[in-house]
């Protein structure tokens, strides 16, 4: 399919195609950002955690903290750094600090999830709205009193709008 055919099909889908296009672009952009974010974290975080735990086991607290400060852009480093800097913490305080910092980091790791949830809920509704608009165009084209005078181009345009919007709804969600 060439660009002009895609453009024609998009325009034939009616007004709801614009918000569906926006939802699709937003989804792809945010999914790409999240994928790059997780790839970057996954590549480095495991090694940093391993190195810090090894230094901690060797009672080399200063080197462990320095290693964490060098990698403060990683969630695990921020969690460990905040807990290892506790002075004379009891095991319960240490666990509580780990849990608290972990909950804070989870909020950062789940960034944009609410936008994805909104798009997942909104795209089918937009597609349904396109279906309704297409059916309205179809029924407006039917002349019940005189079927021979029915606007056949409006009838097919309405059905086309209905099907295109429904198809785009399925693809966007």
């Amino acid at each position: 399919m060439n660009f002009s055919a895609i453009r024609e099909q998009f325009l034939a889908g009616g007004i709801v195609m614009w918000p569906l296009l926006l939802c699709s672009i937003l989804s792809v952009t945010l999914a790409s950002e999240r994928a790059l974010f997780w790839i970057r974290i996954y590549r480095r975080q495991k090694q940093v955690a391993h190195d810090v735990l090894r230094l901690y086991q060797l009672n080399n607290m200063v080197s462990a903290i320095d290693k964490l400060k060098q990698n403060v852009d990683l969630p695990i480093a921020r969690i460990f750094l905040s807990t290892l800097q506790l002075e004379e913490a009891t095991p319960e305080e240490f666990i509580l600090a780990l849990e608290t910092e972990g909950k804070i980091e989870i909020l950062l790791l789940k960034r944009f999830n609410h936008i994805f949830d909104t798009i997942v809920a909104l795209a089918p509704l937009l597609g349904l709205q396109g279906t309704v608009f297409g059916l309205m165009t179809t029924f407006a084209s039917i002349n019940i009193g005189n079927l021979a005078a029915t606007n056949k181009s409006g009838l097919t345009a309405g059905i086309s709008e209905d099907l295109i919007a429904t198809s785009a709804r399925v693809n966007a969600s």
Side-chain angles (χ1 to χ4, degrees):
M1 210 182 241
N2 60 22
F3 179 73
S4 64
I6 293 172
R7 183 177 177 274
E8 287 176 27
Q9 187 173 3
F10 178 83
L11 294 175
I15 191 76
V16 297
M17 294 300 286
W18 291 103
L20 283 170
L21 177 65
L22 179 66
C23 287
S24 295
I25 291 170
L26 190 59
S27 294
V28 169
T29 303
L30 293 178
S32 299
E33 187 278 335
R34 290 284 85 191
L36 291 173
F37 172 80
W38 284 107
I39 288 169
R40 190 187 71 223
I41 286 176
Y42 181 76
R43 287 184 178 167
R44 292 181 36 225
Q45 189 159 272
K46 190 174 183 180
Q47 185 61 45
V48 169
H50 176 61
D51 292 346
V52 168
L53 289 173
R54 187 176 39 80
L55 290 169
Y56 186 74
Q57 286 175 342
L58 297 173
N59 288 329
N60 194 347
M61 183 66 79
V62 174
S63 294
I65 290 175
D66 286 342
K67 179 78 170 177
L68 290 171
K69 286 181 180 178
Q70 292 169 359
N71 295 285
V72 76
D73 61 321
L74 297 174
I76 196 76
R78 290 189 297 266
I79 292 170
F80 283 173
L81 190 59
S82 66
T83 54
L84 289 178
Q85 290 178 336
L86 294 173
E87 294 182 19
E88 299 180 26
T90 65
E92 292 82 20
E93 292 171 333
F94 191 77
I95 290 170
L96 182 61
L98 275 175
E99 288 175 353
T100 303
E101 289 299 319
K103 287 178 183 178
I104 291 169
E105 286 299 322
I106 284 175
L107 293 175
L108 295 173
L109 296 174
K110 288 184 174 183
R111 191 171 71 178
F112 302 130
N113 277 6
H114 61 283
I115 296 174
F116 285 120
D117 292 341
T118 301
I119 291 171
V120 165
L122 185 62
L125 295 176
L126 288 169
L128 183 61
Q129 186 63 51
T131 302
V132 170
F133 286 162
L135 290 174
M136 288 170 57
T137 303
T138 301
F139 288 127
S141 300
I142 297 176
N143 186 346
I144 298 295
N146 185 2
L147 290 178
T150 297
N151 180 356
K152 294 182 180 44
S153 66
L155 184 67
T156 57
I159 293 171
S160 174
E161 181 179 343
D162 174 14
L163 294 173
I164 290 169
T166 303
S167 173
R169 169 190 61 125
V170 171
N171 292 331
S173 55

